[in-house]
Amino acid sequence: SGPLQGEAVPETEAYEMFIQIIQGTCRDSDALHRQIDMWRQEMGPTAEGWLGGTYGITDDNTFIGVVRFESKEAAARNSTRPEQGAWWAQTEKCFDGEVTFHDCDEAMMFLDGGADDAGFVQVIQGRVADPQRFSMFMELPMDMLHEARPEIIGGCIAMEVDGRFTETIAFRSEEAAREGERKEMPAELRQAFENEMAQMQDVTYLDLRHPWFASKA
C-alpha cells in the first residue's frame, strides 16, 4: 500500500475530543469483530463520553481501532469499569503478542469526518518534526481539497505530545480512492501538501479494505 495523494491537507474543524489508538496483530478476526460489536451493543450506551470508533484489519492481520471520547477523563473512567476489564480479558485473546494503546489529547475532524457507510479507510501513521506547525496547518480551510478530491468523505487526525500522529481517511470505495490519487492536484494544494510531507518521518500506511464502525446513537 502507498499514500493516497492529497490526504494530508483537509479542511478541519476543532472539536474537544480525545482519541485512543488500539493496535496489534490479530489472530482471530471474526472473534475480534464480535467482541467489538458486543461492546458497542452492551457497553457503549452506558460508556460516559464515548462518541464512536473506526476499526479494521489489514491484509497482514494488523488490527487498528480509533476510538473517540469527549475527553481523556471520560475515557479513563470507562477503563476502570469492571465490565470493561472483563470484556478486555476476553478480547485480548484475539491477538498475537502485545497490543499497544496510544492516547491522543489533540484530535481534529476534517471535511465530513468519518462515515459509517464508508467502504475503504486508509490509516497514515508517522511523526512530525514540528507538531505545533502541523496542527496550525491542519486547521486551515482547505476548500480546494474537496473540489480536487470529492471521493474523500473525511476523517480525523490524532496527535500525541511527541509528534506522533494517526490519520484516518474515509472513502466510499477503494476503487474511488485509487482513481482519485491518480488525479493531478492544483499547484497550490500540491505545494502545501509537499511542504507538510517534508516534515513527516517514519510514515506508514495501513489499508482497511473491510472497515467497520461504531457510533453512539
Side-chain angles (χ1 to χ4, degrees):
S1 62
L4 294 170
Q5 184 184 42
E7 79 278 12
V9 282
E11 180 176 4
T12 57
E13 290 189 35
Y15 288 92
E16 291 293 325
M17 187 171 60
F18 171 81
I19 284 180
Q20 185 174 70
I21 311 295
I22 307 165
Q23 201 161 344
T25 300
C26 178
R27 73 162 75 189
D28 189 335
S29 59
D30 290 339
L32 181 56
H33 202 150
R34 286 195 300 270
Q35 283 295 110
I36 291 174
D37 285 348
M38 183 181 74
W39 191 96
R40 175 179 56 82
Q41 294 163 6
E42 299 181 8
M43 299 169 61
T46 59
E48 179 187 349
W50 175 69
L51 299 174
T54 297
Y55 312 91
I57 301 169
T58 67
D59 291 347
D60 66 356
N61 296 320
T62 297
F63 167 83
I64 186 161
V66 181
V67 187
R68 306 184 304 276
F69 284 87
E70 290 178 355
S71 68
K72 184 175 185 177
E73 292 73 23
R77 285 191 288 271
N78 177 70
S79 68
T80 63
R81 296 197 299 171
E83 59 267 39
Q84 178 72 20
W87 174 83
W88 178 249
Q90 292 299 313
T91 303
E92 65 180 345
K93 296 176 183 177
C94 302
F95 292 93
D96 276 325
E98 182 183 5
V99 180
T100 60
F101 297 83
H102 294 277
D103 293 341
C104 305
D105 290 321
E106 185 175 353
M108 295 169 282
M109 305 290 285
F110 59 84
L111 295 179
D112 291 332
D116 287 0
D117 61 347
F120 176 69
V121 172
Q122 186 171 75
V123 181
I124 301 102
Q125 294 183 310
R127 192 184 305 274
V128 291
D130 187 342
Q132 186 176 11
R133 171 186 144 182
F134 184 72
S135 296
M136 291 176 62
F137 169 76
M138 295 309 303
E139 291 171 358
L140 295 174
M142 288 287 175
D143 296 336
M144 286 187 297
L145 177 70
H146 193 58
E147 296 177 9
R149 298 291 303 277
E151 79 283 359
I152 296 177
I153 298 170
C156 69
I157 300 170
M159 296 283 298
E160 298 175 54
V161 293
D162 63 355
R164 180 179 170 84
F165 70 90
T166 297
E167 179 178 4
T168 65
I169 307 135
F171 301 86
R172 295 296 176 197
S173 69
E174 183 174 7
E175 181 182 20
R178 299 306 177 191
E179 182 180 345
E181 73 177 319
R182 291 191 289 267
K183 296 178 182 176
E184 184 74 17
M185 286 191 295
E188 183 180 350
L189 193 61
R190 185 174 65 252
Q191 185 61 55
F193 169 73
E194 290 174 353
N195 288 344
E196 288 311 306
M197 284 294 291
Q199 72 147 329
M200 294 181 183
Q201 306 160 357
D202 305 321
V203 179
T204 58
Y205 301 87
L206 304 173
D207 290 342
L208 307 181
R209 294 190 167 89
H210 305 283
W212 71 93
F213 309 90
S215 296
K216 194 155 192 173

